[in-house]
Amino acid sequence: MADRRQPRLGRILLATDLEPKSDRAMERAVRLAVQSGAELAALHIVQEEDSPYAHLPLHHIEAELHRLLLAVPGAAGLTLRVVAVRGGAVGPQVAGYAGLWQPDLVVVGGHARNRTAGLFLPATVERIAVADDTPVLAVWDKPLGPYARAMVPVDFSTRSRATVAAAHRLLPDGELHLLHVLDLPSAARPSEEGAPLAGAFADEFAALLDGIPPDAVTCEVRMGAPVAEIVQAARQGRYDVVALGSARRNGVMRAILGSVAQDVVSELACDALLAGSA
């Protein structure tokens, strides 16, 4: 049988602020590039006057960025490029460069456990994903190994299918857990949830896979408030990454999208992948 998995990543763009703990995103980007054989580009945007790099020529900043990359195990064997630019809002700058270079994934980092501080806030991450339509991986955890397990909240829309595909591309050999949240009034909720209720949506879940081996996928249905249920499920399952869409959709079986994605990312205890608005 032909291998119908999503193609591996070919180009990865790392957007880094070079602040403390930004090395986590750098390490993850290098790991992903090594695993997939991808080219890796690193972009630094000089914004603040009090930045230690603010008064350096751009080519000096690029040299330092290149040095930091080469210090990460595995980076020496990669095809690398480094770019430093001055000024402008982070989201448009990153999205603009991504539009020119056309990566398969943008990797950004944060340096606050609660996601409420640092350059790459959830709102900025989502703006990058929506503006360029390239999946954006927000990294907070230090990489200890390849991603092995991802949770993907879904609503069975075309958007969900694209998010599942993006998650599978990030974890071509990993496990995906699809979660559907029924946001229904208490009186209208079925008596069972989890795996039993997931069986009632078997065809809808299957339609999202598009060639992904079903033995690498598990499915679950929960009932309740979307943000709370997703965050709880992610913590209970101890997933490496949670993949979310970044467009809005209406209806009682609503998507976990738009500003809800920002709320979820702010509460997660793991990294997050945001798919764009294709």
Side-chain angles (χ1 to χ4, degrees):
M1 178 180 292
D3 185 354
R4 296 184 62 194
R5 294 182 304 178
Q6 292 291 324
R8 290 181 179 267
L9 301 169
R11 286 184 169 186
I12 297 172
L13 172 62
L14 166 69
T16 177
D17 56 11
L18 297 177
E19 292 292 330
K21 295 188 179 179
S22 63
D23 58 329
R24 299 180 179 190
M26 187 173 292
E27 290 177 18
R28 177 60 70 185
V30 168
R31 280 180 176 268
L32 289 170
V34 171
Q35 292 162 21
S36 59
E39 298 179 58
L40 176 61
L43 172 66
H44 175 64
I45 301 163
V46 185
Q47 283 198 309
E48 300 178 3
E49 287 298 318
D50 58 354
S51 165
Y53 302 98
H55 304 292
L56 290 177
L58 292 179
H59 69 275
H60 285 189
I61 300 173
E62 290 172 349
E64 175 64 7
L65 183 52
H66 191 259
R67 184 190 69 80
L68 293 171
L69 276 172
L70 290 178
V72 180
L78 297 175
T79 299
L80 300 173
R81 66 172 65 193
V82 293
V83 179
V85 297
R86 294 193 187 277
V90 172
Q93 286 276 32
V94 176
Y97 187 80
L100 292 173
W101 195 57
Q102 297 187 333
D104 301 305
L105 178 71
V106 175
V107 180
V108 302
H111 29 90
R113 178 67 266 169
N114 62 5
R115 276 70 164 172
T116 59
L119 185 59
F120 295 112
L121 299 173
T124 302
V125 173
E126 188 179 25
R127 280 196 294 271
I128 296 170
V130 170
D132 182 61
D133 196 27
T134 300
V136 178
L137 176 66
V139 177
W140 280 271
D141 289 339
K142 183 173 179 61
L144 299 177
Y147 288 136
R149 302 173 65 242
M151 187 179 80
V152 190
V154 299
D155 69 337
F156 307 127
S157 66
T158 303
R159 160 56 39 216
S160 291
R161 187 172 181 178
T163 305
V164 172
H168 182 55
R169 197 172 196 186
L170 185 66
L171 288 77
D173 303 310
E175 300 176 8
L176 302 184
H177 182 72
L178 308 189
L179 172 67
H180 180 58
V181 179
L182 280 169
D183 186 11
L184 297 173
S186 299
R189 294 179 182 176
S191 59
E192 291 185 311
E193 58 180 324
L197 185 54
F201 294 91
D203 291 342
E204 286 85 352
F205 280 120
L208 299 177
L209 301 185
D210 191 25
I212 299 172
D215 57 356
V217 180
T218 56
C219 303
E220 178 186 5
V221 174
R222 291 191 175 208
M223 293 172 286
V227 172
E229 292 299 329
I230 291 172
V231 172
Q232 182 182 52
R235 289 176 175 171
Q236 289 174 342
R238 297 185 178 182
Y239 296 98
D240 302 317
V241 62
V242 172
L244 296 156
S246 54
R248 193 177 296 276
R249 177 176 180 265
N250 297 319
V252 293
M253 293 186 223
R254 72 190 185 204
I256 313 308
L257 305 169
S259 61
V260 177
Q262 296 180 25
D263 295 338
V264 171
V265 172
S266 297
E267 298 295 328
L268 286 178
C270 65
D271 295 345
L273 176 71
L274 275 75
S277 54

